Amino acid sequence: PKDALDTLVLTAIDLAPLDMYEQISHIPFDTSLKRTEATLRRRDGSVFRVTKGAPDVLLAMSYNATEIRGMVEERVMELAKRGVRALGVACSSSEEEGWVLM
């Protein structure tokens, strides 16, 4: 891992289950986009994308942003009041499908 957050997350879990995925491509964190993205392939050959970054950016990309906006913004504010920085994670099954905020 190249950043502190990745190091923290990846040392907190068992990495063996991740071996079932092959990383096909990776877009490093871009400060103008406020997110990073990777494309992964499962053993069955299916491909999906994942992204992590600023919650407001990922919320705006989500297919159901209108329905979940209030809940997401409330949770981010709850964390901020405690001094905790929020990070969003989303996935998409294909280029055509919208992002799902996790």
Side-chain angles (χ1 to χ4, degrees), residues 13-88:
I13 63 169
D14 176 13
L15 298 180
L18 300 178
D19 289 339
M20 69 176 59
Y21 303 104
E22 173 190 3
Q23 184 172 296
I24 299 169
S25 68
H26 177 257
I27 301 170
F29 184 80
D30 182 324
T31 55
S32 66
L33 298 175
K34 298 183 181 178
R35 68 185 187 92
T36 183
E37 182 178 325
T39 302
L40 305 171
R41 178 178 293 124
R42 294 180 184 95
R43 285 189 179 153
D44 68 5
S46 61
V47 174
F48 66 103
R49 297 178 301 150
V50 294
T51 186
K52 73 174 182 179
D56 59 316
V57 171
L58 300 191
L59 177 61
M61 294 169 49
S62 298
Y63 81 94
N64 61 341
T66 304
E67 293 126 39
I68 65 172
R69 180 174 311 283
M71 178 184 62
V72 171
E73 290 175 348
E74 181 180 326
R75 185 66 179 136
V76 169
M77 286 305 296
E78 287 173 7
L79 292 168
K81 286 177 184 175
R82 294 183 10 222
V84 177
R85 187 175 141 222
L87 184 67

